[in-house]
Amino acid sequence: MTVGIVMLVHTALGRAEQVARHWAAAGCPVVIHVDKSVPRKTYEGFVDSLGTLRDISFCDRYRCEWGTWGIVAASQSASEQMLARHPEVRHVYLASGSCLPLRPVEELIDYLDDRPHTDFIESATTADVPWTVGGLDAERFTLRFPVSWKRNRYLFDKIVDIQRRLKLHRDMPNGIVPHMGSQWWCLSRRTLSAILQDPERPTYDKFFRHVWIPDESYFQTLARQYATKIESRSLTLSKFDFQGKPHIFYEDHLQLLRRSDCFVARKIWPHADRLYDAFLTDVAGAMKRTEPNPGKIDRIFSKAVERRTRGRSGLYMQSRFPNEDWENGVTAAPYSMFQGFSELFEDFEQWLGKATNARVHGHLFAKDRVHYADGQTALNGALSDSATLRDYNSKAFLTNLIWNTRGERQCFQFGPADNQEVNWRIARDPNAQVSVITGAWAVPLFRSNLDFAEIRRIAAGLQKIESDHMDILRSPYTKARVRIWTMAEFIEAPMEPLQGILDEIGRTNLRRLAEAPKMVDLAGFGQFLQNLKNQGMHPYLMGDFPVERNVSEPAKTPRKPYLVR
């Protein structure tokens, strides 16, 4: 006994010819169906190229459009011809022109001879099928689908919607239970002939003609009516991505295919010469005899799907951008944002850089430009200091900056005068360490020479912006590590907060420091705030700041408590 091969071909006819000759050389009769959409001249040339081989024949042609009845009709026609012309065939193996035998054909014949009454067809009820994509599982049987989903998607969706609204419903003929599975099966002669010769076949054909993607349900359902022993799996290795599209195997998948131990793989890139040369070989050069086990490489495909859908932390790509909340981690690495520190301390950026060995930037989101560390005009990945380019997508700017500099801790200054579009992005980022001294934005105004009316106007605007930002940072949706002090409470005891910040960054090198950060002179700042109140503006974010207070005293405090031990 032997195995008959039914090949459904629609493209890459040269490769299909090569594989058909390989099947025939091993003693397997081959019946080929060529899609009717292939031009007649091309088809005739393909037939002539195989016309000298006695075991290869061609059946009637049908138009095989994805998801339509034509694929089932082609499989029926080729199978009927196979059973009629080759009585020695015990099993019929359905393959495509892009399928490639991975093991010697003799092994497949021996494998099936040892299992003469076993049907290899993936067949599961709709309730047990996890791989359907598009929301149609049971409905693909209960509704009608008279138009092509690929060519008329709008009309297809409209017809489905109308049927749902009208509550139209079709019942399965003769009470059969619908099953689904891979199109690529290997059925015994007994089961396949029972399906094709069933007196109820016209009824079943009429019903499945209007089922969506019937090639994944026609034989899978009817095989359950006649088979005595079903192995619910396919002998063909075929993998699909999260969108339901088949994976294509290229030349660099050679070792992966070898590890699968499967008899046949689909879908092979037509130009993968290395694969065709490696597997269309003699018995001595092929794989060892073993049970087909595609599960051995499932882990690799699962990782590929995860990488495509989730990606790497902080790296955005076409398949999941710009959809919100699809990111696998907002950013790639921890970073720190400081608000109010550079206003309260002189040369705070230089001090922090020395203390932590981190790269400490100025205001990255300033209105005029991006203030990179050391006055740089561009950073890793050609990130420009142009405010216009940054603000085109400020959220992407931040994620790109962290990704491009991963391995080096990034710290930057922020304030209410900066671009505020990144506030929620930072607040929702578990990698963000946010330290805020509220009200410190008033210190530059206090030290400026502006008219007091102008100072009052600017102060009112900055306070409103910072207040809104604090609401975001205190939101229950915030995932960043946030520490907030009012200016009054911070300057009461600045050493402990600074110590905690340095401990959290974790890269301290204070042995090289000669002194701790020096606080700016705030003599008269309390009176400045009182003057704002007298002008009708209530500066409440600074905390309880008395009019008379020796606020410069913390700068004279011994430096030792600043050290990280």
Side-chain angles (χ1 to χ4, degrees):
M1 296 296 180
T2 188
V3 181
I5 308 299
V6 169
M7 290 181 62
L8 305 183
V9 179
H10 71 281
T11 186
L13 302 188
R15 288 301 188 190
E17 176 188 348
Q18 186 179 359
V19 174
R21 288 180 180 276
H22 180 78
W23 288 117
C28 293
V30 180
V31 177
I32 301 176
H33 174 274
V34 180
D35 194 328
K36 203 169 185 178
S37 62
V38 175
R40 185 165 187 82
K41 185 176 181 180
T42 304
Y43 168 72
E44 291 175 349
F46 180 52
V47 173
D48 291 341
S49 67
L50 293 170
T52 59
L53 298 177
R54 180 174 55 86
D55 287 337
I56 297 180
S57 59
F58 293 81
C59 67
D60 294 338
R61 302 172 66 192
Y62 295 86
R63 188 173 299 278
C64 298
E65 187 172 0
W66 183 88
T68 63
W69 174 254
I71 299 176
V72 177
S75 304
Q76 290 175 331
S77 175
S79 298
E80 287 175 328
Q81 184 167 310
M82 175 66 71
L83 296 177
R85 295 189 181 185
H86 301 281
E88 75 281 8
V89 167
R90 177 180 284 168
H91 278 87
V92 176
Y93 197 115
L94 182 64
S96 74
S98 62
C99 286
L100 177 65
L102 302 182
R103 295 166 62 175
V105 180
E106 291 78 4
E107 286 192 17
L108 175 61
I109 296 173
D110 293 343
Y111 184 85
L112 294 175
D113 279 347
D114 292 340
R115 301 159 179 81
H117 303 299
T118 302
D119 297 289
F120 297 90
I121 180 169
E122 193 174 50
S123 175
T125 59
T126 56
D128 299 322
V129 171
W131 60 79
T132 54
V133 176
L136 294 172
D137 37 41
E139 282 186 324
R140 66 177 63 197
F141 300 101
T142 60
L143 303 180
R144 287 179 170 82
F145 303 91
V147 300
S148 167
W149 179 80
K150 281 200 169 185
R151 284 188 293 108
N152 301 290
R153 191 168 303 184
Y154 175 81
L155 184 57
F156 180 96
D157 291 340
K158 280 295 182 183
I159 292 175
V160 169
D161 184 60
I162 291 173
Q163 292 181 85
R164 286 172 175 170
R165 290 175 181 271
L166 297 178
K167 298 183 179 180
L168 299 179
H169 183 275
R170 292 200 303 163
D171 294 325
M172 295 294 294
N174 298 329
I176 60 175
V177 178
H179 286 68
M180 297 170 57
S182 171
Q183 172 190 357
W184 312 108
W185 43 255
C186 178
L187 294 176
S188 65
R189 183 184 192 92
R190 176 181 175 183
T191 300
L192 184 56
S193 60
I195 293 174
L196 297 177
Q197 297 170 14
D198 190 332
E200 291 293 321
R201 176 180 162 183
T203 302
Y204 296 139
D205 288 3
K206 181 179 179 181
F207 177 84
F208 279 94
R209 189 179 297 273
H210 295 293
V211 167
W212 192 44
I213 320 180
D215 53 282
E216 293 183 353
S217 58
Y218 179 84
F219 289 98
Q220 293 75 5
T221 299
L222 297 182
R224 291 287 178 178
Q225 309 301 308
Y226 313 105
T228 57
K229 183 180 180 181
I230 285 183
E231 287 275 348
S232 185
R233 60 189 174 99
S234 175
L235 297 179
T236 300
L237 173 66
S238 57
K239 295 294 182 180
F240 297 86
D241 63 15
F242 73 104
Q243 294 177 320
K245 298 178 180 179
H247 282 290
I248 298 177
F249 294 102
Y250 298 93
E251 291 187 334
D252 52 352
H253 291 125
L254 175 60
Q255 298 305 320
L256 182 74
L257 293 174
R258 287 189 183 279
R259 289 206 301 272
S260 73
D261 297 327
C262 290
F263 289 109
V264 179
R266 181 186 186 277
K267 184 174 190 179
I268 309 298
W269 186 46
H271 303 289
D273 297 333
R274 186 183 178 194
L275 297 185
Y276 283 93
D277 292 342
F279 291 112
L280 298 185
T281 181
D282 57 8
V283 177
M287 294 188 296
K288 60 183 180 180
R289 288 175 176 266
T290 185
E291 182 72 19
N293 186 14
K296 292 167 62 176
I297 64 174
D298 281 347
R299 177 176 56 86
I300 298 175
F301 282 92
S302 298
K303 282 190 173 182
V305 171
E306 182 180 8
R307 178 60 61 85
R308 183 176 178 187
T309 54
R310 286 175 56 80
R312 286 170 281 180
S313 297
L315 179 63
Y316 292 75
M317 55 191 181
Q318 183 272 338
S319 65
R320 59 189 176 91
F321 182 83
N323 294 328
E324 192 68 25
D325 298 327
W326 276 36
E327 65 272 353
N328 175 22
V330 180
T331 52
Y335 61 96
S336 300
M337 184 183 85
F338 296 91
Q339 183 163 327
F341 287 79
S342 60
E343 288 80 6
L344 192 59
F345 293 102
E346 295 180 0
D347 299 324
F348 174 76
E349 297 162 24
Q350 290 80 359
W351 175 85
L352 184 64
K354 291 180 180 180
T356 62
N357 286 333
R359 187 182 299 193
V360 184
H361 305 281
H363 286 256
L364 292 180
F365 296 92
K367 295 293 178 64
D368 58 340
R369 69 181 186 88
V370 182
H371 294 267
Y372 290 125
D374 303 322
Q376 294 176 279
T377 57
L379 205 66
N380 306 33
L383 289 177
S384 168
D385 67 346
S386 166
T388 302
L389 294 176
R390 177 202 64 200
D391 293 342
Y392 179 77
N393 192 333
S394 55
K395 299 175 184 177
F397 168 82
L398 175 63
T399 54
N400 285 338
L401 183 143
I402 303 302
W403 173 263
N404 295 341
T405 58
R406 60 195 184 280
E408 179 186 38
R409 182 67 174 240
Q410 303 297 306
C411 305
F412 63 92
Q413 316 306 310
F414 193 76
D418 295 342
N419 185 331
Q420 303 292 304
E421 290 184 3
V422 295
N423 289 351
W424 268 113
R425 173 56 61 92
I426 295 173
R428 292 178 54 253
D429 187 1
N431 279 329
Q433 174 195 334
V434 180
S435 303
V436 181
I437 303 174
T438 60
W441 47 263
V443 175
L445 293 177
F446 162 65
R447 305 176 71 184
S448 70
N449 294 320
L450 297 175
D451 292 340
F452 203 81
E454 181 69 9
I455 290 176
R456 178 191 177 282
R457 183 188 66 80
I458 296 174
L462 294 179
Q463 181 165 254
K464 175 64 170 61
I465 294 173
E466 186 170 73
S467 177
D468 292 341
H469 188 197
M470 294 308 102
D471 290 341
I472 292 175
L473 293 179
R474 294 187 176 106
S475 165
Y477 302 105
T478 294
K479 298 179 181 178
R481 174 76 166 89
V482 178
R483 294 177 178 179
I484 302 175
W485 302 271
T486 64
M487 184 175 167
E489 66 179 338
F490 189 90
I491 65 175
E492 279 287 340
M495 294 170 288
E496 183 178 349
L498 288 174
Q499 180 79 48
I501 291 171
L502 296 179
D503 287 343
E504 190 165 278
I505 293 177
R507 298 184 178 184
T508 56
N509 191 23
L510 290 181
R511 294 178 181 177
R512 299 185 304 173
L513 290 179
E515 59 181 10
K518 180 181 178 181
M519 191 178 295
V520 300
D521 184 7
L522 295 178
F525 185 72
Q527 184 60 54
F528 169 75
L529 297 181
Q530 184 60 48
N531 292 340
L532 286 176
K533 293 179 181 179
N534 296 340
Q535 293 292 325
M537 186 255 172
H538 179 54
Y540 59 89
L541 289 176
M542 297 77 181
D544 184 14
F545 214 106
V547 175
E548 297 296 334
R549 186 175 188 178
N550 186 11
V551 295
S552 60
E553 182 62 28
K556 301 177 182 178
T557 306
R559 308 305 183 207
K560 188 175 180 180
Y562 284 87
L563 299 179
V564 176
R565 300 185 182 277

